[in-house]
Amino acid sequence: MIRRPPRSTLSSSSAASDVYKRQDQYAWEVAATVRSVMSAMDFSNRYMLAWQSKVGFLPWLSPSTSDTIKGFGSQGHKYVLTVPIAFTSDHIETLFEIDIEYAEEAEEAGIEIFRRAPSLNGSELFQEALADIVHGHLKSNEVCTPQYRLNCQGCTNPTCRHIMNPIKTYQRHMDQAKGVQTACTVDALP
């Protein structure tokens, strides 16, 4: 029986720090999601946002999920719950990286109970939420949120923020500023 609440690691796929330096919104959007979730829970558990799946030698977002779990262990925490906050379904990053690799690291770090919160997968509530979002966009004739149209300042991907076959004309902010039409079909992509 657990008498103290577990430390929570809210884990998301990392990105190379070069992406972050270009002012890509990904890290801030994940952090905002974490804050919203924890706020809805009245910040009842202590938590850390961490990043996983680093590949290669370039610097990536930190702290890593691995370092966070080991850090909790070195501080004497015995119970850790890892929440795949930006993953909507199970895949290699949840089933192998969290469930196997991080579980082994947690045991080596002295953590007695290490668990992963289940992914949403095909849950009815998740499907209903997605349907509500789509329905809202169709009803309002809104292709996407206004924020989505904004590319990061240092964007180097010419196809970033394109929407294929939108329900109505869609214009990225950077294309609008240049006076060009945003491609809306695969054939029209640069």
Side-chain angles (χ1 to χ4, degrees), residues 3-67:
R3 290 187 169 80
R4 290 178 289 170
R7 299 305 97 180
S8 298
T9 304
L10 290 96
S11 188
S12 181
S13 281
S14 191
S17 60
D18 286 354
V19 171
Y20 186 72
K21 289 176 187 173
R22 287 194 305 262
Q23 301 299 307
D24 186 276
Q25 300 295 303
Y26 173 71
W28 292 310
E29 290 169 352
V30 172
T33 299
V34 168
R35 176 108 178 130
S36 293
V37 167
M38 297 313 289
S39 177
M41 296 174 56
D42 293 324
F43 299 96
S44 57
N45 284 26
R46 303 293 66 96
Y47 67 95
M48 291 285 295
L49 169 58
W51 306 94
Q52 66 182 79
S53 307
K54 178 185 182 296
V55 177
F57 299 101
L58 294 174
W60 284 53
L61 297 174
S62 62
S64 73
T65 303
S66 176
D67 289 344

Side-chain angles (χ1 to χ4, degrees), residues 49-180:
L49 169 58
W51 306 94
Q52 66 182 79
S53 307
K54 178 185 182 296
V55 177
F57 299 101
L58 294 174
W60 284 53
L61 297 174
S62 62
S64 73
T65 303
S66 176
D67 289 344
T68 301
I69 292 167
K70 291 173 188 174
F72 282 150
S74 71
Q75 293 171 5
H77 297 290
K78 299 297 180 190
Y79 318 116
V80 173
L81 173 67
T82 297
V83 180
I85 192 72
F87 303 121
T88 57
S89 62
D90 288 324
H91 57 296
I92 194 164
E93 289 176 283
T94 57
L95 299 172
F96 180 75
E97 195 170 1
I98 295 174
D99 290 356
I100 296 173
E101 288 184 342
Y102 294 151
E104 289 172 0
E105 291 178 6
E107 184 177 3
E108 291 169 8
I111 294 169
E112 295 173 7
I113 298 176
F114 176 84
R115 297 287 186 270
R116 172 180 58 87
S119 299
L120 298 169
N121 293 314
S123 81
E124 287 186 34
L125 184 61
F126 181 55
Q127 292 176 32
E128 289 171 12
L130 291 175
D132 285 347
I133 292 168
V134 171
H135 177 72
H137 279 282
L138 291 172
K139 188 175 179 180
S140 69
N141 206 28
E142 180 184 49
V143 175
C144 62
T145 62
Q147 182 66 23
Y148 183 80
R149 297 177 11 175
L150 182 64
N151 290 73
C152 58
Q153 296 88 322
C155 187
T156 59
N157 182 349
T159 62
C160 184
R161 303 290 178 163
H162 278 83
I163 298 175
M164 298 296 102
N165 305 310
I167 58 173
K168 70 174 195 171
T169 303
Y170 165 75
Q171 191 75 2
R172 296 184 308 176
H173 286 290
M174 65 187 257
D175 292 335
Q176 189 175 15
K178 293 176 184 176
V180 298

